Amino acid sequence: MKLAPPPSPAPSSGEQVVQLTIEDIVFRSDDGRFVVVRGLREPDGGALTAVGDLGQVAIGETLRLRGRMTQHAVHGGRFQVTAFTPIVPTSRAGIARYLGSGLVPGVGPALAERLVAKFGDQTLDVITQQSSRLREVSGIGTRRAHDIAAAVRSRRDEAETMSFLHALGLGPSLARRLLKKYGDRTAQVLREDPYLVAEEVRGVGFRTADGIGRASGIAADDPRRAAGATLHLLARAIDEGHVYTDTQTLAAEARSLEVPEQLIAPAVAALASRGMVVVEDTAVYAPPLYNAEVRVAAAFARLATPRKEPRDAAQAVERAAEGAALSIEQRGAVTASLRSGLVVLTGGPGTGKTTTVRTLVKAHELLGHRVLLAAPTGRAAKRLSEATGREARTLHRLLEWSPQESSFARDADSPLDAELILVDEASMLDLQLADSLLDAVPPRGTLVLVGDVDQLPPVGAGQALRELLGSGVAQVVRLTEVFRQAQRSRIIAGAHEVLHGRPPTPSAAGERGDGELFIVRAREPEVIAEKLVEVLRRMQSSYGLDPVREVQVLVPMRRGPVGTERLNELLQDALNPMPGARPGAFRERDKVMQLRNDYERDVFNGDLGEVRRIAGGTTWVSIDGRDVAYTPENLEDLTLAYACTIHKSQGSEFPAVVVVLTSAHHVLLDRALLYTAITRAKTLAVLIGEDRAIARAAAHSESTHARSRLAERIRRAAMQVAMAQR
C-alpha cells in the first residue's frame, strides 16, 4: 500500500530540492556516514555532485535531495544534502540500472537486462506482486524468485517510508533510527501518536513530534498533545537532575509549548491511570524514579542501624593504622565502619580520604572480612585500585550487568558476597544506580560511601549522597584538615579558595610544588584557541606531558565558539592532522568519548578511548584495554574528546588539565563547576580565559538542589525501623 505523506516542508532559506539519478559512488567513508555521488539531474540531465549522509545509496537509484549548493576549494561546486528521499524508478533504463546495481542480492546487470526485456516498465510490479512469473526468465528458480521479490519489496517499502519521514522534515540519521525501531509500522505509529514516539526514540523531541502531529491533523487541544507535552516536560526535569516535577511547574511550563495549561491536570490524571506517571499530592514522577526513591530510602534506613563491634576491632584498627599517622577524624572513620552498616566519608582534596580508605580496607581484611571496591566510572575505579593496591571495579561490573536480561545479576536474591562494600566518587551516584547498588548489599553487609558533595551533581536524576547527608541518618565522617604535603599544591590550595568563594591564586613565577596552577588570560575566541594550542605544546616541551593521553581540555559547554564541538575540530587538526580529511570525522589515533551507557557492549557514559582503525564501515576504538566496534548505527554514541565538558570529566583524574572559562559561558559558571574542573588535575592545571569569568564562577554558588523527597523518605523509614526494633 502506498503511503500518503504529508506535504513536504518548504526548504529553508537558501535550500533547494533536486532529483538525481546516481551514476557513480565517488566516495563512501569507512564509517558509512559520508557519501559523495555523481549523477544526472532530472529532467534536464545535467551532471551534479552531491555529498552528505546518504546511507547505503546505490548506483541506479533516483533520489530527491534537499540541500544547498556549496563551493569546495578543491572539488568545486557540490550539492550539500540535508535530507533525501529514495524514488523507485519507472523507466526501463532506470529499472535496469536499479536492479543491476547490486542493491538486490543475486541480480547483476545481465539478469536485470533480461528481466526488463521480459516485463518492460512493469518489471518492479511483477516482482513485488506476481513473483512466480519471474521463473519465466532463464536462470531464475522458485527460491531465487522469492529472494528477489523479498529484497525489492523491502527496498520499496523502505523508500516509501523514508519518503514519508523526509516529508516530515526528519534528517537521515533520525529517519534510520525510526525505521530500526518500528520497521514497516513506522508511518502508522507516527500518525497514531507521534508524542508517544518522542518518549520512545532518542532524538524525537516534543517539537518534532508536535510538527508531525499538527501536519497529521492533531488539534492544538487534543488530549494526546497535552499528554505528550506533560511527558516531555517531565523528561526535561529528569534531564536537569530532578527526580520529580510538580503540577504547578508543569502548568506554567506548558505555556512555552503553546499547550493550554488547563489541559495539563487532565493529562496527568490520564497518564496516571495508564501507569505512565505516579502522582503523590502535587509531585509527578516517572514510575521507575518513584519506585527507586521509595526503595533507596528503605535500604538506607535499614543499613544505618548500629552494629555490634567485632571483638578484635580495636587491635585491627591499630595494626591497620601503623605508619599512617592518622588524624582523629581519619581514625574515627575507620572505627565507624566497624560499628555501623552505613558510613559516609567526605572531604575536600588533600584531607586524607585516600589514606583513610586504605586503612579502613586493611582493618576489615585483618578481621577476615571480604571487601569489594567499586566506583561509578572506569577511570575512578582504576584510581581506587591504584590507591588501595586491590582490585576495584565499575559498579556495572560489580553488579554484573546482563545485556541479555537488561538487568543486574546481583540483587536482593543474589547479593554481593562481601562484609564490606566501599564505593568511591559516590557523589556521582544518581538515584537509579544507588537503587541497584543497595539492592545487592547483603543484609549484614557494611556500605561505605566516599565522596565530595562540593563537586558537580550526578549526570542522572537524583543526588543520592547529598540526600543521604541531608537526612541525618547515616554515620558521617567529614575530613577537614588539609595535610602539610597537600598544602604545597597550588591545585589543592586553589580548590579550597574556590570553595570559599575566591578565585584560585596561581603559582608564582619559578615556584615548584606537587601541583602547579597557572592562569593564561585571553578574551576573544580566536586568541583563546591560539593560546590553547600553545599551552598544550608547552606542556609537552616543558613538562613532558603527552597533550592527547595525559592532558584533558575541559570546557563548560558543547556549543559556541569556545565549546567542545569547535575546540575538538581545532585540536584534532593540531594534534592529529590528516591532510584532506573532513573536519570532525573520526580518524585513526583520535581521542574519543562514549556519550551514553551501552550495556550490551559494556561501555559507559564518559568512557575515554582511542580510535585504532576504521575499515569496512566499522570504527574500532580501544577502551580500557579492549577494542570496541562501532557501526554507523551506533557511531553517534561517540564524540571527539580532545576537549570535553566538565560534567563529563566527573570521577576522572588526569596528570594535567586545561580549563577554558569565558564570559560566554556565564549561564553555567558556578563554584561547583570550577571546583570540579580544578580538582581533575593531579600535577598541573591551567585556566585559560577571562579573570571576570573565573571570579564569577568562584563567587556564584548556584543551588545544586534537585527536586527529590529522598531525604524525608529516609528519615521516615529510619523512624519505622527504630520503632520495629523496640
Side-chain angles (χ1 to χ4, degrees):
M1 182 180 70
K2 288 272 186 184
L3 300 173
S8 297
S12 61
S13 178
E15 286 194 336
Q16 56 182 301
V17 175
V18 301
Q19 192 158 307
L20 190 73
T21 298
I22 308 303
E23 297 284 320
D24 185 26
I25 308 293
V26 179
F27 173 78
R28 193 190 302 272
S29 66
D30 287 330
D31 61 21
R33 301 175 73 183
F34 182 75
V35 184
V36 179
V37 300
R38 287 200 188 102
L40 300 178
R41 293 177 60 150
E42 297 184 5
D44 60 19
L48 180 69
T49 298
V51 301
D53 182 354
L54 297 172
Q56 297 304 308
V57 64
I59 293 171
E61 281 197 281
T62 300
L63 306 178
R64 183 177 293 114
L65 308 175
R66 189 169 77 239
R68 53 172 50 87
M69 287 301 301
T70 62
Q71 193 70 26
H72 191 276
V74 176
H75 302 293
R78 307 197 303 180
F79 190 81
Q80 182 69 50
V81 178
T82 56
F84 73 94
T85 303
I87 298 174
V88 177
T90 55
S91 69
R92 294 169 67 102
I95 293 171
R97 282 200 307 270
Y98 177 77
L99 291 175
S101 66
L103 196 66
V104 180
V107 178
L111 182 55
E113 290 290 351
R114 293 206 303 275
L115 284 165
V116 173
K118 176 68 177 177
F119 302 115
D121 56 14
Q122 300 299 307
T123 300
L124 294 180
D125 289 332
V126 170
I127 290 173
T128 55
Q129 299 170 26
Q130 305 174 59
S131 60
S132 61
R133 290 192 60 197
L134 298 181
R135 288 178 292 170
E136 297 173 17
V137 177
S138 63
I140 298 180
T142 302
R143 179 59 182 270
R144 199 173 191 187
H146 175 272
D147 290 347
I148 293 171
V152 172
R153 285 191 199 107
S154 174
R155 190 66 178 181
R156 175 179 273 186
D157 290 346
E158 181 182 338
E160 291 176 355
T161 304
M162 289 289 280
S163 176
F164 174 82
L165 295 175
H166 287 311
L168 294 171
L170 305 184
S173 178
L174 182 53
R176 283 197 295 271
R177 276 208 300 278
L178 287 165
L179 272 171
K180 184 177 180 180
K181 173 75 175 176
Y182 300 113
D184 57 9
R185 297 174 50 246
T186 301
Q188 176 189 344
V189 171
L190 281 170
R191 284 198 178 97
E192 288 177 352
D193 195 345
Y195 304 100
L196 187 59
V197 173
E199 301 309 308
E200 295 180 342
V201 179
R202 179 169 44 83
V204 182
F206 177 81
R207 300 285 185 187
T208 300
D210 201 33
I212 296 171
R214 303 307 291 275
S216 301
I218 294 178
D221 61 352
D222 191 293
R224 288 174 294 178
R225 186 167 183 266
T230 300
L231 291 174
H232 167 75
L233 293 171
L234 177 56
R236 189 166 74 184
I238 292 169
D239 287 342
E240 292 170 354
H242 300 291
V243 179
Y244 70 87
T245 189
D246 57 71
T247 50
Q248 185 177 357
T249 301
L250 283 172
E253 292 181 345
R255 291 195 294 269
S256 68
L257 302 177
E258 299 177 0
V259 175
E261 61 180 273
Q262 65 269 22
L263 297 179
I264 295 300
V268 169
L271 290 168
S273 70
R274 294 160 59 190
M276 298 183 71
V277 299
V278 174
V279 180
E280 185 180 68
D281 50 73
T282 62
V284 181
Y285 287 83
L289 288 176
Y290 175 82
N291 295 331
E293 191 173 84
V294 171
R295 287 192 298 261
V296 166
F300 273 147
R302 185 176 63 251
L303 283 172
T305 55
R307 303 286 174 85
K308 183 178 179 180
E309 187 175 294
R311 180 182 304 172
D312 300 324
Q315 296 94 314
V317 173
E318 290 301 322
R319 288 178 59 194
E322 286 176 3
L326 298 183
S327 68
I328 294 174
E329 292 173 335
Q330 291 174 301
R331 190 178 293 268
V334 179
T335 302
S337 71
L338 298 168
R339 294 177 177 172
S340 174
L342 182 61
V343 176
V344 176
L345 174 62
T346 186
T351 57
K353 290 197 300 293
T354 299
T355 300
T356 307
V357 166
R358 276 199 298 262
T359 307
L360 190 154
V361 168
K362 188 175 180 181
H364 278 266
E365 289 176 338
L366 288 170
L367 290 166
H369 293 172
R370 288 161 294 185
V371 176
L372 291 174
L373 306 177
T377 67
R379 295 183 73 87
K382 185 178 180 181
R383 285 172 53 207
L384 179 59
S385 181
E386 291 169 350
T388 60
R390 293 157 179 82
E391 180 189 17
R393 288 173 272 180
T394 64
L395 283 170
H396 285 85
R397 291 197 176 104
L398 178 77
L399 301 175
E400 299 175 20
W401 174 260
S402 169
Q404 293 76 24
E405 301 295 329
S406 295
S407 63
F408 291 107
R410 293 294 185 174
D411 55 19
D413 295 325
S414 181
L416 295 166
D417 184 18
E419 280 74 38
L420 172 69
I421 299 156
L422 184 144
V423 178
D424 197 9
E425 296 289 352
S427 63
M428 296 180 66
L429 281 175
D430 61 38
L431 184 63
Q432 289 184 291
L433 186 54
D435 181 29
S436 297
L437 168 65
L438 289 163
D439 193 36
V441 175
R444 298 302 301 169
T446 293
L447 177 64
V448 175
L449 299 176
V450 183
D452 182 354
V453 290
D454 290 315
Q455 292 185 24
L456 287 167
V459 175
Q463 302 173 28
L465 185 64
R466 184 179 293 273
E467 292 288 312
L468 176 59
L469 290 171
S471 74
V473 167
Q475 177 75 47
V476 179
V477 179
R478 298 179 187 273
L479 303 180
T480 57
E481 179 185 350
V482 179
F483 286 87
R484 184 175 300 172
Q485 182 179 0
Q487 290 174 357
R488 295 197 297 267
S489 168
R490 282 309 318 158
I491 293 172
I492 291 175
H496 285 279
E497 287 175 319
V498 170
L499 287 181
H500 288 89
R502 302 190 302 272
T505 303
S507 301
E511 177 186 353
R512 285 287 179 174
D514 295 329
E516 297 176 73
L517 187 149
F518 299 99
I519 297 177
V520 176
R521 292 167 178 84
R523 183 175 180 180
E524 299 302 324
E526 297 80 6
V527 177
I528 289 173
E530 291 174 7
K531 295 284 188 184
L532 175 57
V533 175
E534 180 184 327
V535 163
L536 290 172
R537 288 183 171 149
R538 189 176 299 175
M539 283 179 163
Q540 187 171 29
S541 61
S542 300
Y543 291 86
L545 292 166
D546 185 317
V548 175
R549 294 180 176 86
E550 296 180 294
V551 183
Q552 183 61 54
V553 177
L554 301 177
V555 190
M557 60 179 60
R558 290 175 47 228
R559 293 188 172 87
V562 284
T564 59
E565 293 177 354
R566 174 72 187 93
L567 292 182
N568 268 319
E569 290 189 7
L570 169 80
L571 294 173
Q572 183 189 43
D573 282 340
L575 303 176
N576 189 23
M578 184 179 290
R582 185 164 56 97
F586 294 128
R587 308 168 187 173
E588 291 184 4
R589 298 184 301 281
D590 267 340
K591 183 178 185 178
V592 293
M593 176 182 284
Q594 174 74 14
L595 290 175
R596 55 189 57 85
N597 291 340
D598 185 331
Y599 301 108
E600 290 190 15
R601 290 179 302 152
D602 199 26
V603 288
F604 302 99
N605 188 359
D607 281 354
L608 290 170
E610 179 182 325
V611 175
R612 291 295 193 190
R613 59 191 174 93
I614 303 173
T618 300
T619 301
W620 296 90
V621 180
S622 176
I623 298 177
D624 286 339
R626 63 191 182 88
D627 283 353
V628 181
Y630 289 81
T631 62
E633 287 72 29
N634 51 43
L635 199 61
E636 61 194 19
D637 292 346
L638 211 59
T639 187
L640 291 173
Y642 298 97
C644 75
T645 63
I646 298 168
H647 280 83
K648 289 287 189 184
S649 73
Q650 285 176 269
S652 298
E653 184 179 69
F654 308 93
V657 301
V658 181
V659 186
V660 178
L661 291 177
T662 77
S663 297
H665 301 136
H666 69 277
V667 176
L668 295 176
L669 294 177
D670 69 16
R671 190 174 300 165
L673 186 90
L674 179 56
Y675 175 74
T676 301
I678 291 174
T679 54
R680 299 310 91 200
K682 188 174 183 180
T683 62
L684 180 61
V686 179
L687 304 183
I688 300 181
E690 302 172 67
D691 283 336
R692 63 178 180 172
I694 298 170
R696 173 187 166 82
H700 189 53
S701 182
E702 180 69 31
S703 172
T704 54
H705 175 70
R707 285 192 290 270
S708 170
R709 295 180 171 180
L710 180 57
E712 68 178 80
R713 287 192 202 278
I714 295 171
R715 284 191 290 269
R716 290 203 305 265
M719 290 175 61
Q720 292 170 356
V721 170
M723 291 176 62
Q725 291 178 342
R726 287 178 184 171

